[in-house]
Amino acid sequence: MKKSIIIITYIILGLILIKILFSRLVNIILIKEYIHDVYFEGNSALVTLVNFPESYVLEYNYGNVLYKHGEYQKAIEQYDKALNRNVPREKECSIRINYALSICKQIEVDEKDETSIKQAINQYNKAINVLVEKECATRDGNGHNDKAQTLEEDIEREIERLNKLLEEPYEPEDESEEEEKENIKKDPIEQKMEEIKQEA
């Protein structure tokens, strides 16, 4: 009886060791692919199996690849999936930061159009809601993650700026003032090149 218990224990320990080694090997291969931007949804079943109980890793990493390639809406979908898995508290804020950044990256605001400004403010508020949901950041500045809190405060400042634009409606300026403002925005080298073109 004791001998069979010892054999079963060795078999269980052997299986655990094989699983750990297999997980390590697969993760090393997939991390190398991830670094070289080769990361496919087809890997999901394998990675989810290998990374049990950290099954969120696939969606988070795949979301990062999509973010890097400017596919922000698809990245958001992956971050959302990752957050619906069993994510450790210390990792959740990283996912939420990238999620909020993906929302912000999609915002295109026409500062002369009231509707566009209001839509941008709504999107920025969605990004803040992602950050404050689990108190990675808070609206009163007491979030438990410094990066998330800094991002939340930056977004709040942008919302304030846009709200001021709503209070002071856009008034078209004459063309010379508009041109002058455009020249101020230009890089000095770019401005010099423009002057050279006009002289030629």
Side-chain angles (χ1 to χ4, degrees), residues 73-90:
Q73 188 53 47
K74 287 182 179 179
I76 285 169
E77 290 165 15
Q78 293 303 315
Y79 296 138
D80 200 38
K81 285 180 186 176
L83 289 172
N84 286 320
R85 299 207 182 259
N86 187 23
V87 184
R89 187 172 186 254
E90 67 275 7

Side-chain angles (χ1 to χ4, degrees), residues 125-191:
N125 276 315
K126 281 183 186 175
I128 288 174
N129 289 339
V130 168
L131 294 170
V132 301
E133 189 175 325
K134 295 287 185 171
E135 296 186 348
C136 292
T138 60
R139 291 186 184 262
D140 63 2
N142 294 320
H144 62 79
N145 183 286
D146 292 340
K147 288 180 182 176
Q149 190 61 55
T150 300
L151 178 59
E152 189 278 337
E153 289 163 8
D154 289 344
I155 296 170
E156 288 280 7
R157 277 192 289 279
E158 182 60 11
I159 290 172
E160 277 177 43
R161 188 185 74 77
L162 292 174
N163 276 321
K164 284 180 185 170
L165 289 176
L166 288 175
E167 291 165 15
E168 303 160 6
Y170 174 76
E171 291 178 26
E173 300 169 5
D174 66 30
E175 282 185 37
S176 61
E177 285 179 27
E178 215 36 69
E179 225 173 83
E180 196 176 306
K181 278 190 175 178
E182 196 59 40
N183 283 337
I184 290 168
K185 287 181 187 175
K186 285 181 185 174
D187 180 60
I189 296 168
E190 193 179 286
Q191 197 170 345

Side-chain angles (χ1 to χ4, degrees), residues 25-79:
L25 180 64
V26 169
N27 279 321
I28 287 168
I29 292 166
L30 293 176
I31 286 167
K32 280 184 182 178
E33 288 182 351
Y34 170 65
I35 288 167
H36 294 96
D37 290 342
V38 180
Y39 207 80
F40 302 108
E41 279 184 90
N43 293 337
S44 62
L46 178 61
V47 177
T48 303
L49 178 70
V50 165
N51 287 304
F52 168 82
E54 293 184 325
S55 54
Y56 70 90
V57 170
L58 167 78
E59 286 88 7
Y60 178 51
N61 286 346
Y62 188 49
N64 289 343
V65 170
L66 291 166
Y67 178 93
K68 191 174 174 184
H69 288 132
E71 296 184 54
Y72 304 116
Q73 188 53 47
K74 287 182 179 179
I76 285 169
E77 290 165 15
Q78 293 303 315
Y79 296 138

Side-chain angles (χ1 to χ4, degrees), residues 109-122 159-170:
V109 60
D110 178 356
E111 295 186 1
K112 299 171 190 171
D113 178 30
E114 187 177 318
T115 304
S116 178
I117 293 169
K118 286 179 179 176
Q119 286 172 346
I121 290 169
N122 285 339
I159 290 172
E160 277 177 43
R161 188 185 74 77
L162 292 174
N163 276 321
K164 284 180 185 170
L165 289 176
L166 288 175
E167 291 165 15
E168 303 160 6
Y170 174 76

